[in-house]
Amino acid sequence: MEASSRWTAWWQRRDRQRPGPTAGATSPAARLELLLSAVRAGFPLAPAAHPAGYRCSCDRVGCPAPAQHPVSFAWQSQATTDADQLTRWLSRDPQTNFITATGRAHDVLDVPAEAGRLALDRLTALGVAGPVAAVGEERYLFFTATRGRPEDEDEWWSSALDTNPDTMSEHPGLRWHCRGSYTLLPPAALPDGSQVRWLVGPEHPLPDPLRVLDVLTDACTEVGAVAEEQWLIG
Protein backbone atom coordinates (compact mmCIF):
# COMPACT_ATOMS: atom_id res chain seq x y z
CA MET A 1 0.00 0.00 0.00
CA GLU A 2 2.83 2.40 0.88
CA ALA A 3 4.52 1.79 -2.48
CA SER A 4 1.23 2.37 -4.31
CA SER A 5 0.69 5.71 -2.56
CA ARG A 6 4.26 6.79 -3.30
CA TRP A 7 3.97 6.05 -7.01
CA THR A 8 0.53 7.71 -7.28
CA ALA A 9 1.93 10.87 -5.65
CA TRP A 10 4.88 10.82 -8.07
CA TRP A 11 2.58 10.61 -11.08
CA GLN A 12 0.37 13.39 -9.71
CA ARG A 13 3.41 15.68 -9.47
CA ARG A 14 4.33 14.69 -13.02
CA ASP A 15 0.77 15.53 -14.18
CA ARG A 16 1.03 19.04 -12.76
CA GLN A 17 4.17 19.62 -14.83
CA ARG A 18 2.50 18.53 -18.09
CA PRO A 19 0.11 20.47 -20.33
CA GLY A 20 -3.56 19.97 -19.41
CA PRO A 21 -5.15 16.80 -20.83
CA THR A 22 -7.57 16.98 -23.70
CA ALA A 23 -11.27 16.64 -22.96
CA GLY A 24 -12.17 13.12 -21.89
CA ALA A 25 -8.55 12.03 -21.49
CA THR A 26 -7.44 10.12 -18.40
CA SER A 27 -4.43 11.67 -16.68
CA PRO A 28 -1.39 9.44 -16.06
CA ALA A 29 -1.98 9.59 -12.30
CA ALA A 30 -5.65 8.64 -12.63
CA ARG A 31 -4.72 5.84 -15.03
CA LEU A 32 -2.09 4.54 -12.64
CA GLU A 33 -4.58 4.53 -9.78
CA LEU A 34 -7.10 2.54 -11.85
CA LEU A 35 -4.42 -0.03 -12.70
CA LEU A 36 -3.29 -0.18 -9.06
CA SER A 37 -6.88 -0.91 -8.02
CA ALA A 38 -6.71 -4.03 -10.18
CA VAL A 39 -3.33 -4.96 -8.70
CA ARG A 40 -4.78 -4.57 -5.20
CA ALA A 41 -7.58 -6.94 -6.22
CA GLY A 42 -4.90 -9.50 -7.10
CA PHE A 43 -5.18 -9.28 -10.90
CA PRO A 44 -1.81 -10.10 -12.53
CA LEU A 45 -0.87 -7.55 -15.22
CA ALA A 46 1.53 -7.53 -18.18
CA PRO A 47 2.19 -4.87 -20.87
CA ALA A 48 0.12 -4.95 -24.06
CA ALA A 49 0.29 -3.20 -27.40
CA HIS A 50 -1.38 0.19 -27.80
CA PRO A 51 -2.79 2.25 -30.69
CA ALA A 52 -0.31 3.91 -33.05
CA GLY A 53 -2.63 6.10 -35.05
CA TYR A 54 -5.12 3.71 -36.62
CA ARG A 55 -2.69 0.80 -36.37
CA CYS A 56 -1.22 -1.37 -33.65
CA SER A 57 2.07 -0.43 -31.99
CA CYS A 58 3.40 -3.91 -32.77
CA ASP A 59 3.74 -2.91 -36.46
CA ARG A 60 2.60 -6.37 -37.55
CA VAL A 61 1.03 -6.09 -40.99
CA GLY A 62 -2.64 -6.98 -40.65
CA CYS A 63 -2.47 -7.45 -36.88
CA PRO A 64 -5.65 -9.43 -36.05
CA ALA A 65 -6.09 -7.85 -32.60
CA PRO A 66 -4.72 -4.29 -32.76
CA ALA A 67 -3.75 -2.95 -29.32
CA GLN A 68 -5.35 -5.99 -27.66
CA HIS A 69 -2.44 -8.43 -27.26
CA PRO A 70 0.67 -8.68 -25.06
CA VAL A 71 3.91 -7.13 -26.28
CA SER A 72 5.95 -10.17 -25.23
CA PHE A 73 5.59 -13.89 -25.86
CA ALA A 74 6.69 -14.24 -22.21
CA TRP A 75 3.57 -12.48 -20.92
CA GLN A 76 2.59 -15.39 -18.67
CA SER A 77 5.84 -15.15 -16.71
CA GLN A 78 5.77 -11.33 -16.83
CA ALA A 79 2.25 -11.00 -15.38
CA THR A 80 2.55 -9.59 -11.87
CA THR A 81 0.79 -7.75 -9.04
CA ASP A 82 3.98 -5.83 -8.17
CA ALA A 83 3.06 -2.12 -8.08
CA ASP A 84 6.68 -1.03 -8.58
CA GLN A 85 7.02 -3.14 -11.73
CA LEU A 86 3.72 -1.76 -13.06
CA THR A 87 5.00 1.78 -12.61
CA ARG A 88 8.32 1.00 -14.28
CA TRP A 89 6.45 -0.30 -17.33
CA LEU A 90 4.32 2.85 -17.44
CA SER A 91 7.40 5.08 -17.04
CA ARG A 92 9.04 3.41 -20.05
CA ASP A 93 5.89 3.64 -22.19
CA PRO A 94 3.05 5.77 -20.77
CA GLN A 95 0.76 4.76 -23.67
CA THR A 96 0.97 1.03 -23.08
CA ASN A 97 -2.19 -0.97 -22.55
CA PHE A 98 -2.23 -3.86 -20.08
CA ILE A 99 -3.62 -7.37 -20.18
CA THR A 100 -4.51 -9.46 -17.16
CA ALA A 101 -3.65 -13.15 -17.10
CA THR A 102 -6.73 -15.24 -16.37
CA GLY A 103 -6.97 -18.56 -14.54
CA ARG A 104 -4.87 -17.36 -11.59
CA ALA A 105 -6.80 -14.87 -9.46
CA HIS A 106 -9.85 -14.69 -11.72
CA ASP A 107 -11.50 -15.91 -14.91
CA VAL A 108 -13.31 -13.71 -17.43
CA LEU A 109 -16.54 -14.44 -19.28
CA ASP A 110 -16.54 -12.38 -22.48
CA VAL A 111 -19.80 -11.72 -24.36
CA PRO A 112 -21.27 -9.44 -27.03
CA ALA A 113 -22.29 -6.08 -25.56
CA GLU A 114 -26.01 -6.57 -26.25
CA ALA A 115 -26.03 -9.75 -24.17
CA GLY A 116 -23.73 -8.15 -21.60
CA ARG A 117 -26.06 -5.22 -20.92
CA LEU A 118 -28.98 -7.58 -20.44
CA ALA A 119 -26.99 -9.88 -18.15
CA LEU A 120 -25.52 -7.04 -16.07
CA ASP A 121 -29.00 -5.75 -15.23
CA ARG A 122 -30.06 -9.25 -14.13
CA LEU A 123 -26.91 -9.95 -12.13
CA THR A 124 -27.23 -6.57 -10.39
CA ALA A 125 -30.83 -7.38 -9.47
CA LEU A 126 -29.62 -10.72 -8.06
CA GLY A 127 -26.86 -8.98 -6.10
CA VAL A 128 -24.09 -11.02 -7.74
CA ALA A 129 -22.57 -8.55 -10.21
CA GLY A 130 -18.80 -8.64 -9.76
CA PRO A 131 -16.31 -6.52 -11.72
CA VAL A 132 -17.48 -5.84 -15.29
CA ALA A 133 -15.67 -3.99 -18.09
CA ALA A 134 -16.83 -2.77 -21.51
CA VAL A 135 -14.59 -3.10 -24.57
CA GLY A 136 -15.79 -0.15 -26.63
CA GLU A 137 -19.37 -0.79 -27.72
CA GLU A 138 -18.66 -4.37 -28.81
CA ARG A 139 -17.95 -6.65 -25.81
CA TYR A 140 -18.55 -6.96 -22.06
CA LEU A 141 -16.05 -8.68 -19.76
CA PHE A 142 -17.45 -10.32 -16.61
CA PHE A 143 -14.70 -11.04 -14.05
CA THR A 144 -15.40 -14.07 -11.86
CA ALA A 145 -13.68 -16.33 -9.38
CA THR A 146 -11.40 -18.82 -11.10
CA ARG A 147 -11.61 -22.57 -11.28
CA GLY A 148 -7.91 -22.38 -10.47
CA ARG A 149 -5.76 -25.49 -10.61
CA PRO A 150 -7.88 -28.52 -9.70
CA GLU A 151 -6.23 -31.55 -8.14
CA ASP A 152 -7.16 -33.62 -11.20
CA GLU A 153 -5.28 -32.05 -14.12
CA ASP A 154 -7.76 -33.65 -16.53
CA GLU A 155 -10.45 -31.38 -15.08
CA TRP A 156 -8.98 -27.99 -15.94
CA TRP A 157 -10.11 -26.09 -18.99
CA SER A 158 -7.28 -24.55 -20.95
CA SER A 159 -8.05 -21.47 -23.04
CA ALA A 160 -5.66 -20.54 -25.82
CA LEU A 161 -8.23 -18.27 -27.48
CA ASP A 162 -6.60 -14.90 -26.87
CA THR A 163 -3.06 -16.24 -26.83
CA ASN A 164 -3.74 -16.89 -30.54
CA PRO A 165 -5.48 -13.61 -31.49
CA ASP A 166 -5.91 -14.73 -35.11
CA THR A 167 -8.81 -16.90 -33.90
CA MET A 168 -10.75 -14.16 -32.09
CA SER A 169 -13.11 -13.39 -34.98
CA GLU A 170 -14.03 -17.07 -35.20
CA HIS A 171 -15.74 -17.03 -31.79
CA PRO A 172 -18.23 -14.12 -31.73
CA GLY A 173 -20.43 -15.50 -28.94
CA LEU A 174 -19.59 -16.29 -25.33
CA ARG A 175 -15.91 -16.93 -24.50
CA TRP A 176 -14.51 -18.19 -21.19
CA HIS A 177 -10.99 -16.96 -20.50
CA CYS A 178 -9.38 -19.25 -17.96
CA ARG A 179 -5.92 -20.75 -17.49
CA GLY A 180 -3.58 -19.83 -20.33
CA SER A 181 -5.62 -16.88 -21.61
CA TYR A 182 -5.88 -13.12 -20.99
CA THR A 183 -8.06 -10.09 -21.58
CA LEU A 184 -7.43 -6.37 -21.82
CA LEU A 185 -7.67 -4.53 -18.52
CA PRO A 186 -9.17 -1.05 -18.07
CA PRO A 187 -8.22 1.60 -18.74
CA ALA A 188 -7.08 0.81 -22.27
CA ALA A 189 -7.33 2.54 -25.65
CA LEU A 190 -8.22 0.97 -29.01
CA PRO A 191 -7.22 2.18 -32.50
CA ASP A 192 -10.80 3.19 -33.41
CA GLY A 193 -10.79 5.71 -30.55
CA SER A 194 -12.92 3.60 -28.21
CA GLN A 195 -11.91 2.64 -24.68
CA VAL A 196 -11.87 -0.35 -22.37
CA ARG A 197 -13.47 0.94 -19.17
CA TRP A 198 -14.84 -0.36 -15.88
CA LEU A 199 -18.62 -0.50 -15.48
CA VAL A 200 -18.29 -2.21 -12.08
CA GLY A 201 -14.84 -1.79 -10.53
CA PRO A 202 -12.34 -4.46 -9.45
CA GLU A 203 -12.90 -3.67 -5.77
CA HIS A 204 -16.12 -5.70 -5.90
CA PRO A 205 -16.03 -9.40 -4.89
CA LEU A 206 -15.60 -11.97 -7.63
CA PRO A 207 -18.78 -14.04 -8.10
CA ASP A 208 -19.00 -17.77 -8.78
CA PRO A 209 -18.39 -18.33 -12.52
CA LEU A 210 -21.10 -20.94 -12.98
CA ARG A 211 -23.75 -18.64 -11.52
CA VAL A 212 -22.69 -15.86 -13.90
CA LEU A 213 -22.48 -18.33 -16.78
CA ASP A 214 -26.13 -19.30 -16.33
CA VAL A 215 -27.24 -15.68 -16.71
CA LEU A 216 -24.89 -14.98 -19.62
CA THR A 217 -25.95 -18.10 -21.50
CA ASP A 218 -29.60 -17.07 -21.28
CA ALA A 219 -28.76 -13.52 -22.37
CA CYS A 220 -26.71 -14.72 -25.34
CA THR A 221 -29.53 -17.00 -26.45
CA GLU A 222 -32.05 -14.14 -26.23
CA VAL A 223 -29.97 -11.84 -28.45
CA GLY A 224 -29.16 -14.55 -30.98
CA ALA A 225 -25.60 -15.51 -29.94
CA VAL A 226 -26.60 -19.10 -29.22
CA ALA A 227 -24.21 -20.47 -26.61
CA GLU A 228 -24.22 -24.05 -27.90
CA GLU A 229 -22.94 -22.86 -31.30
CA GLN A 230 -20.76 -19.86 -30.53
CA TRP A 231 -19.16 -20.13 -27.12
CA LEU A 232 -15.71 -21.48 -26.35
CA ILE A 233 -14.01 -22.90 -23.28
CA GLY A 234 -10.46 -23.71 -24.29
Side-chain angles (χ1 to χ4, degrees):
M1 291 297 183
E2 183 177 338
S4 299
S5 299
R6 172 167 54 83
W7 283 118
T8 300
W10 183 83
W11 278 93
Q12 287 172 340
R13 290 195 299 272
R14 177 169 165 162
D15 280 358
R16 288 193 289 269
Q17 296 168 4
R18 296 162 62 95
T22 57
T26 301
S27 72
R31 186 160 181 258
L32 175 63
E33 185 54 36
L34 282 170
L35 291 167
L36 287 173
S37 68
V39 166
R40 287 191 288 268
F43 297 177
L45 277 61
H50 61 79
Y54 293 102
R55 299 180 295 103
C56 182
S57 62
C58 72
D59 286 332
R60 176 182 174 184
V61 176
C63 175
Q68 298 183 62
H69 61 85
V71 296
S72 171
F73 290 116
W75 61 269
Q76 293 197 62
S77 59
Q78 279 185 334
T80 182
T81 57
D82 186 321
D84 288 341
Q85 180 61 65
L86 167 65
T87 308
R88 284 192 291 271
W89 282 327
L90 276 174
S91 298
R92 286 199 295 266
D93 186 358
Q95 297 184 73
T96 192
N97 286 337
F98 285 88
I99 58 96
T100 179
T102 53
R104 301 183 189 181
H106 60 81
D107 288 352
V108 173
L109 292 164
D110 170 0
V111 297
E114 186 179 3
R117 286 188 288 269
L118 188 62
L120 180 55
D121 287 343
R122 292 174 180 175
L123 289 166
T124 300
L126 291 170
V128 293
V132 180
V135 181
E137 300 298 324
E138 301 298 323
R139 309 288 300 185
Y140 271 36
L141 307 177
F142 289 77
F143 289 70
T144 71
T146 183
R147 295 185 74 249
R149 184 187 294 271
E151 293 181 6
D152 183 352
E153 283 293 304
D154 291 334
E155 290 298 315
W156 70 269
W157 297 333
S158 63
S159 178
L161 177 64
D162 275 355
T163 62
N164 297 292
D166 299 39
T167 68
M168 291 180 68
S169 63
E170 299 173 14
H171 303 286
L174 192 155
R175 306 193 289 243
W176 189 327
H177 301 273
C178 46
R179 204 167 88 182
S181 188
Y182 61 82
T183 64
L184 276 178
L185 188 76
L190 300 175
D192 64 1
S194 61
Q195 302 288 321
V196 182
R197 66 194 189 282
W198 287 115
L199 302 176
V200 181
E203 69 277 6
H204 290 79
L206 294 167
D208 177 78
L210 297 180
R211 191 170 185 188
V212 175
L213 178 62
D214 283 342
V215 176
L216 293 179
T217 301
D218 288 345
C220 284
T221 300
E222 288 181 39
V223 303
V226 181
E228 289 79 6
E229 297 178 358
Q230 298 189 44
W231 77 315
L232 179 76
I233 303 178

